[in-house]
Amino acid sequence: MPLNPREDRLAADAVAHRIAERSAQLGLEPDALAEAAGMSLPYLEFLASAGPSFDPNGFLRIAAALGLTYQELLAGRPDRPPGQAPPAPRPVLVRLTETECWDDLGERGVGRIALPGERGPAVFPVNYAVDRHTVVYRTRDHGAADAPPGTGVSFEVDRIDELRANGWSVLVTGTAERIDDPPTLEQLAHDPAVQPWAGGTRPCWIRVRPGAVSGRRICTVPAAS
């Protein structure tokens, strides 16, 4: 049953407190935590205020940066060292076909774009849409997720079932290009998938033209009968 607004606010506040408490324990300043989680400091602060229901994948990365599992971040740590959640009883790693990768990406969602940076690759969450076997997203001109035409980039999406230790990830590697033809811009402007959750004016449209698409799925083999 979904939480009511008051319960949702209390849950978000509890997670924000847990992030602050664990950061202090590890001696992590907010900017260092943001860097470790692969996001900007303003977005980290926004997530801490908004709560896990806004961007579960973002909180998954925060949990990893803090040495916690996703469930530990949401509900508190059990009486065991962090990062020790066991794998599924009979885990199997399966490589996805390109068709399966595009099927998992779907038409839209939230993924992560990895760009070259001064201190090494930087990763930022973006709302994306799939357009004719390419990935498109929008950002600010000269913003953190802006990519000059021809830049080599990677785009990644994953889904994780923490309780079952199952999940999948898809990686698209290729080059970035600006979208500037009016018909495509008009079409994308009305697509709700690429209306950034972070808000603000984001007039720059980027297309990731794939060079390679790969994916993996972790699943569990049923017990022999």
Side-chain angles (χ1 to χ4, degrees):
M1 185 172 62
L3 300 178
N4 62 44
R6 182 175 180 277
E7 291 172 332
D8 195 52
R9 181 68 264 158
L10 289 174
D13 289 344
V15 172
H17 177 75
R18 210 165 283 126
I19 290 172
E21 188 175 59
R22 178 64 171 167
S23 296
Q25 181 184 22
L26 297 176
L28 273 178
E29 294 296 330
D31 56 344
L33 174 59
E35 182 177 359
M39 62 183 66
S40 67
L41 178 57
Y43 193 66
L44 171 68
E45 294 171 340
F46 174 78
L47 285 185
S49 174
S53 61
F54 179 77
D55 180 3
N57 285 331
F59 278 87
L60 185 63
R61 300 205 310 279
I62 293 172
L66 292 173
L68 302 173
T69 67
Y70 181 70
Q71 191 60 33
E72 286 171 344
L73 181 60
L74 265 57
R77 299 173 63 194
D79 294 329
R80 59 180 175 80
Q84 299 298 313
R90 291 166 295 279
V92 173
L93 183 63
V94 179
R95 295 191 180 277
L96 303 177
T97 66
E98 184 168 336
T99 298
E100 290 171 328
C101 289
W102 287 112
D103 185 57
D104 280 343
L105 284 175
E107 297 181 358
R108 62 195 63 193
V110 174
R112 290 176 288 281
I113 186 72
L115 310 167
E118 293 181 1
R119 300 181 180 179
V123 181
F124 306 97
V126 293
N127 291 77
Y128 74 90
V130 172
D131 180 47
R132 293 166 292 178
H133 278 199
T134 67
V135 173
V136 298
Y137 67 94
R138 57 187 292 192
T139 185
R140 295 190 179 93
D141 281 318
H142 308 297
D146 190 2
T151 301
V153 300
S154 295
F155 177 79
E156 192 267 346
V157 177
D158 58 51
R159 296 292 180 270
I160 295 174
D161 185 331
E162 183 77 22
L163 293 177
R164 296 177 177 82
N166 291 342
W168 57 263
S169 66
V170 170
L171 178 66
V172 178
T173 57
T175 55
E177 59 184 47
R178 291 286 186 98
I179 301 175
D180 52 17
D181 59 291
T184 302
L185 290 174
E186 178 68 19
Q187 172 192 341
L188 293 174
H190 296 91
D191 189 337
V194 281
Q195 305 301 316
W197 289 354
T201 303
R202 298 171 188 272
C204 177
W205 294 81
I206 305 293
R207 185 187 302 277
V208 178
R209 186 76 63 180
V213 180
S214 61
R216 298 182 296 176
R217 183 183 302 278
I218 298 175
C219 51
T220 302
V221 176
S225 56

